[in-house]
Amino acid sequence: MAEAGLIHAGKLLGDGVAVETLSSLIGESESWVLDGGVANSQQASMLMAKGITPKFVVVLDVDVSTAIAKMDPVVVDPLDQTEYHLENLPPPSEVLDETTGEPIEGVLAPSDRALKRKEQHPAVLHARHNRFNANISSILSLYQAVGCCILRFSQEPEHLLDPLQVAASVMTEIRSLDLLQLTLPPAPQTVSGRSKETKDAPETRTPPPDPEPSDG
């Protein structure tokens, strides 16, 4: 597919294709997590026009060398798309029979068939990193304008971001916003140009004036 070739080369899908793909995946879900986010502010605008606006936007700023080092041990089994980490979660070196638990002879093991995705190669990661830096400011400006909560974490020199600390900070912000929303009155819903509160209220009509007496 042409789209797969673009992704492997670190290039962008067309805005229309990307937005339709994301909107179909999210569907009618009330809660969702989009890993990777949108590629530019145009895609963000197109998704918002479809009613898809994030409540939180989490940005992790890391240098490209760190990104390459983190992606280098990651491999995927092309048979079932299972992802492994060569150091922390290596692919199995044998295939076991589901019934007996014994190794199956003559079957290629995940460790033998696992490979790196083309989009993980350093040249592709450099292209993606440059694109991220070129577009992130306009994307965040758009989300801030509509009230999204922006959580941005930057890597300090010689200190990598701690995933546990980042996760804890994100959860703290989410809980804080949820508590704040519980203390606020619900916003009136707009129905056909009138708020729902106004629509549900009985209408007040001015009575017609009394008829003037005739001269007869």
Side-chain angles (χ1 to χ4, degrees), residues 2-13 118-119 124 128:
E3 290 83 358
L6 289 173
I7 294 173
H8 293 332
K11 298 180 181 178
L12 290 176
L13 293 176
K118 292 182 179 179
E119 56 266 33
V124 176
R128 293 174 61 183

Side-chain angles (χ1 to χ4, degrees), residues 7-47:
I7 294 173
H8 293 332
K11 298 180 181 178
L12 290 176
L13 293 176
D15 290 338
V17 174
V19 168
E20 287 304 320
T21 300
L22 292 174
S23 60
S24 65
L25 290 173
I26 293 172
E28 301 297 325
S29 302
E30 295 184 1
S31 300
W32 44 270
V33 176
L34 181 59
D35 183 8
V38 295
N40 52 51
S41 57
Q42 178 66 15
Q43 291 182 10
S45 297
M46 293 170 70
L47 283 172

Side-chain angles (χ1 to χ4, degrees), residues 8-184:
H8 293 332
K11 298 180 181 178
L12 290 176
L13 293 176
D15 290 338
V17 174
V19 168
E20 287 304 320
T21 300
L22 292 174
S23 60
S24 65
L25 290 173
I26 293 172
E28 301 297 325
S29 302
E30 295 184 1
S31 300
W32 44 270
V33 176
L34 181 59
D35 183 8
V38 295
N40 52 51
S41 57
Q42 178 66 15
Q43 291 182 10
S45 297
M46 293 170 70
L47 283 172
M48 287 194 292
K50 291 177 173 289
I52 300 175
T53 303
K55 182 182 293 184
F56 294 90
V57 178
V58 181
V59 183
L60 305 179
D61 290 308
V62 297
D63 59 55
V64 69
S65 60
T66 300
I68 292 173
K70 283 186 171 294
M71 293 300 296
D72 187 60
V74 177
V75 294
V76 64
D77 185 345
L79 190 63
D80 57 12
Q81 298 301 308
T82 301
E83 192 172 274
Y84 298 98
H85 191 283
L86 294 177
E87 299 171 3
N88 301 330
L89 184 65
S93 58
E94 55 188 8
V95 178
L96 302 180
D97 186 284
E98 294 182 358
T99 303
T100 65
E102 296 295 324
I104 301 176
E105 300 293 335
V107 177
L108 200 62
S111 59
D112 297 320
R113 62 180 183 244
L115 46 78
K116 291 184 180 181
R117 293 187 176 97
K118 292 182 179 179
E119 56 266 33
Q120 292 176 220
H121 290 190
V124 176
L125 291 176
H126 271 282
R128 293 174 61 183
H129 192 266
N130 292 337
R131 186 177 68 237
F132 168 85
N133 288 327
N135 288 282
I136 189 62
S137 294
S138 59
I139 293 172
L140 294 185
S141 295
L142 182 64
Y143 281 142
Q144 284 177 324
V146 296
C148 298
C149 180
I150 308 296
L151 304 176
R152 192 163 191 173
F153 302 88
S154 298
Q155 174 181 303
E156 298 179 2
E158 313 224 341
H159 291 283
L160 299 180
L161 291 175
D162 185 332
L164 295 180
Q165 290 182 357
V166 171
S169 298
V170 171
M171 290 307 301
T172 298
E173 292 293 336
I174 291 175
R175 293 192 185 100
S176 297
L177 183 61
D178 287 343
L179 289 174
L180 177 62
Q181 289 178 332
L182 289 175
T183 63
L184 296 175

